[in-house]
Amino acid sequence: MDKNPLAVNIAGVKFKNPLIAASGTFGYGLEYSEIYDVSKIGGISLKGLTLLPKEGNDSPRIAETPSGILNSVGLQNPGTKAFVNDYMPKIKKLGTVLIANIAGNTLEEYAQTAKIVSASGVDMIELNISCPNVKQGGMAFGVEPDSVRAVTEKVKENSSLPLIVKLTPNVSDITKNAAAAQKGGADAISLINTISGMAVDYKTRRPVLKNVTGGLSGPAVKPVALKMVWQVYNTVDIPIIGMGGIMSYTDVLEFIICGASAVQIGTANIYNPTAMPEILADLERYFKENNLTLEELKGTLIV
Amino acid sequence: MERKITVLSNKEIAPKIFKLTAAAKIPDKTRCGNFVHIQLKEKPLRRPFCICDFSRELETLTIVYEVKGEGTKLLSGYQKGTCLDALFPLGNGFDIKSAKKIFLVGGGLGTAVLPAAFKSYEGEFTSFIGFKSKENIILAEELSLGGDLFVSTEDGSFGEKGFVTDCVKREISLRKPDIILACGPEPMLKSLQKISCQFGTKTLVSLEERMGCGVGACVVCAVKIKRDGQEHNMRVCKDGPVFDINEVVFN
């Protein structure tokens, strides 16, 4: 039997491996497809979409921090109409699982966006209720468990696609939000989004980011992410997609051991455009050498 | 896309301004206005630098940079033989179409964009470069090899006293260029925008912004560009770094 040890099925969607590009770090996949064959990777969580086009925040939108970066893009995106008409015809040809990441200001906006992207040819939806960089970018829905449940239910009513709910770590108890997403009908949970933070220039006494605050990502957040993935794994029954500072195949293994079925890779793409195929090659070698499958390793943390 | 460069020389050519030349295979499509995204050994977030000059025959790539923060300080310490992960050529570069009479205009460190023009285009070049003072002048020799050169300093310690744009304004009606290629600080670009409008001369300008991926995916390096009567945030790394000066929305 030559079963692919890295294959994973999440809510009925088949991924050839557990490496998914994290939303906001991979555009709509088209830029990286000029650099390598992106059909190699498990999937792409596409750049966050809103019903109408959004210009995002003013620059600077990025700041370097110890072991990470802060960003404050502010959900700049072309809106659902341009996404469906101009982007999807090209994105469909990439040959990997496509996940539309959607954000909004109101329940109705989430509902309409979900309806439109569901008919666009994507395989799944990731509900972004955790963007820290816009005043009403869904973060309002991501903090309180009741509103997490309400927005999850609303999107489920308006889409038949499998739904991933992406959680913010900027809450008092993430397990409550994970449980609320599951109750609302989520098919999977992804975590963590960036941790809210800021960078300051002591010489100018100004924040480095124009938006003052931003979202921290990169190796600095990995310990927080691992803890939260493990906590959520012990709380819900639905699959978990873990993310936060994954830079190498050993980082991937750690997330799988803590209970993730798959992972998303974000900041690593920004540092190195070929990070994902490089991590994948290492991961394939590891599973082959150890005669293991992803499923066998999942949630095997010994405590 | 090329990924590796090896430092051949790295020396200070004016106060805090360094010129780094590296061994590098130069892809055919490389042209003036492209940039190189360099990963430092100590810091994973890449730093973008315009390609100052290149040689396909000698297989060399040159950047000129100012030591301003931690990254450029580290870079200035790299000795001959240091191998670096460097993505290039990135960005659109200057598209001069069929222009033949070309003005190159640089203010301060912006001058670093210009020398690659001689390797990229055929035409009649006139260069204009401006600096604060004599000690800050860079790349004058390189630019003098490609055509006439006008140097200005704000304090009059070398060349013409005043701003580089004063010189451009005077020569533009005499030499009637087809196109102006420019890079420099915002006040210079604003002034150049007015000159471009007044004389109706197509002017392309290379911009910069804090950058992430360098390939257009993370949408971090946004600049305001006016198109079809509306302002849009566009990516310096992928839509630029070169834009038509009349589309640029200055602060």
Side-chain angles (χ1 to χ4, degrees):
Chain A
M1 196 173 78
D2 61 340
K3 203 179 153 230
N4 172 9
L6 290 179
V8 54
N9 185 318
I10 296 175
V13 179
K14 288 178 186 150
F15 293 76
K16 49 183 95 101
N17 61 66
L19 305 189
I20 303 166
S23 182
T25 66
F26 214 79
Y28 296 108
L30 302 171
E31 291 82 9
Y32 286 99
S33 74
E34 292 173 21
I35 300 170
Y36 66 91
D37 176 10
V38 300
S39 74
K40 282 185 192 171
I41 65 173
I44 304 171
S45 178
L46 303 165
K47 170 74 185 154
L49 269 176
T50 49
L51 188 60
L52 300 174
K54 212 166 160 60
E55 285 296 338
N57 297 329
D58 284 346
S59 292
R61 292 173 167 186
I62 189 166
E64 188 174 43
T65 63
S67 295
I69 49 177
L70 277 165
N71 87 82
S72 181
V73 172
L75 281 176
Q76 179 174 341
N77 78 90
T80 45
K81 196 175 160 192
F83 172 74
V84 171
N85 297 332
D86 306 336
Y87 289 84
M88 266 315 274
K90 295 176 205 155
I91 304 171
K92 272 182 194 166
K93 295 177 190 155
L94 294 177
T96 187
V97 172
L98 301 175
I99 304 168
N101 177 291
I102 65 168
N105 294 331
T106 62
L107 280 178
E108 200 41 50
E109 220 179 300
Y110 272 105
Q112 285 188 52
T113 308
K115 213 178 261 181
I116 295 168
V117 302
S118 295
S120 72
V122 298
D123 301 295
M124 298 180 100
I125 291 179
E126 181 174 56
L127 189 54
N128 182 353
I129 47 170
S130 46
C131 176
N133 296 330
V134 284
K135 285 189 182 74
Q136 295 174 306
M139 183 70 161
F141 291 102
V143 178
E144 294 301 328
D146 287 348
S147 58
V148 170
R149 182 172 174 173
V151 69
T152 305
E153 282 171 350
K154 189 77 180 177
V155 170
K156 282 300 283 183
E157 281 164 24
N158 285 278
S159 169
S160 53
L161 291 180
L163 179 67
I164 306 162
V165 175
K166 184 171 179 178
L167 299 180
T168 171
N170 305 309
V171 293
S172 53
D173 182 356
I174 199 163
T175 61
K176 291 196 172 115
N177 297 37
Q182 180 172 271
K183 279 197 196 103
D187 299 289
I189 281 170
S190 60
L191 76 161
I192 59 173
N193 203 322
T194 55
I195 300 178
S196 189
M198 71 190 276
V200 173
D201 182 340
Y202 75 91
K203 288 177 226 141
T204 60
R205 300 189 188 178
R206 288 175 191 275
V208 179
L209 298 173
K210 184 77 174 178
N211 190 47
V212 184
T213 62
L216 181 67
S217 64
V221 312
K222 195 184 83 174
V224 178
L226 281 172
K227 184 200 81 167
M228 289 184 168
V229 164
W230 181 61
Q231 283 180 314
V232 169
Y233 179 68
N234 289 314
T235 306
V236 299
D237 308 317
I238 50 181
I240 293 165
I241 300 169
M243 79 191 92
I246 293 177
M247 307 301 287
S248 66
Y249 81 101
T250 57
D251 292 337
V252 176
L253 298 175
E254 291 168 19
F255 274 88
I256 304 292
I257 290 166
C258 286
S261 297
V263 296
Q264 289 188 10
I265 293 176
T267 304
N269 295 314
I270 291 174
Y271 289 163
N272 171 13
T274 50
M276 292 187 71
E278 287 170 23
I279 294 171
L280 180 60
D282 288 343
L283 207 58
E284 282 169 344
R285 185 182 42 76
Y286 176 85
F287 278 93
K288 198 176 169 192
E289 281 175 8
N290 292 278
N291 196 22
L292 255 180
T293 67
L294 204 61
E295 196 53 39
E296 286 163 357
L297 189 69
K298 191 180 86 181
T300 55
L301 186 74
I302 302 160
V303 282
Chain B
M1 196 184 328
E2 285 299 320
R3 283 295 288 263
K4 286 276 173 270
I5 62 172
T6 307
V7 177
L8 293 172
S9 65
N10 189 12
K11 50 180 187 266
E12 196 166 15
I13 55 168
K16 291 195 166 182
I17 309 288
F18 283 70
K19 182 179 186 179
L20 184 155
T21 298
K25 284 207 166 54
I26 308 296
D28 287 345
K29 64 176 182 175
T30 309
R31 68 176 174 186
C32 183
N34 286 145
F35 70 95
V36 51
H37 213 22
I38 298 178
Q39 191 166 57
L40 303 170
K41 302 228 165 266
E42 303 82 354
K43 289 181 175 285
L45 185 64
R46 290 167 190 272
R47 268 72 176 166
F49 300 94
C50 70
I51 294 175
C52 172
D53 206 355
F54 59 86
S55 167
R56 289 200 174 85
E57 299 76 44
L58 301 174
E59 298 196 328
T60 58
L61 182 82
T62 299
I63 62 165
V64 168
Y65 60 96
E66 181 182 359
V67 172
K68 225 173 171 176
E70 290 172 49
T72 43
K73 187 158 186 209
L74 288 165
L75 183 61
S76 70
Y78 292 162
Q79 306 290 322
K80 185 178 177 181
T82 307
C83 275
L84 294 169
D85 180 341
L87 301 169
F88 73 98
L90 297 176
N92 58 357
F94 290 100
D95 180 4
I96 70 161
K97 303 231 156 55
S98 58
K100 285 285 168 240
K101 287 173 88 173
I102 303 159
F103 270 20
L104 304 177
V105 182
L109 191 60
T111 303
V113 173
L114 307 177
F118 307 136
K119 307 282 168 55
S120 310
Y121 318 111
E122 282 180 17
E124 183 190 327
F125 296 95
T126 311
S127 302
F128 302 84
I129 53 178
F131 303 90
K132 280 212 160 23
S133 188
K134 187 182 174 183
E135 63 165 5
N136 308 113
I137 296 172
I138 53 167
L139 302 167
E141 201 184 317
E142 288 85 338
L143 289 167
S144 69
L145 298 174
D148 289 347
L149 171 68
F150 294 86
V151 182
S152 326
T153 52
E154 285 173 37
D155 64 2
S157 55
F158 188 90
E160 297 184 35
K161 185 174 166 55
F163 293 116
V164 65
T165 42
D166 301 336
C167 212
V168 172
K169 199 169 175 180
R170 186 189 66 226
E171 293 297 320
I172 199 169
S173 43
L174 299 169
R175 297 178 183 239
K176 300 189 171 49
D178 303 322
I179 198 164
I180 301 174
L181 313 183
C183 185
E186 196 163 308
M188 176 195 118
L189 298 182
K190 277 183 183 163
S191 167
L192 206 55
Q193 197 179 43
K194 281 191 198 127
I195 294 169
S196 168
C197 262
Q198 190 187 337
F199 293 90
T201 311
K202 175 98 171 163
T203 302
L204 301 177
V205 57
S206 174
L207 302 180
E208 66 175 355
E209 189 47 74
R210 295 266 172 175
M211 198 174 277
C213 68
V215 298
C218 75
V219 206
V220 152
C221 52
V223 284
K224 284 217 160 21
I225 298 295
K226 197 169 184 176
R227 266 183 206 168
D228 313 320
Q230 278 187 319
E231 285 182 16
H232 301 284
N233 277 326
M234 300 194 79
R235 304 163 296 181
V236 165
C237 71
K238 189 77 175 175
D239 305 309
V242 176
F243 294 94
D244 188 312
I245 202 164
N246 289 312
E247 294 184 333
V248 179
V249 181
F250 294 111
N251 293 324

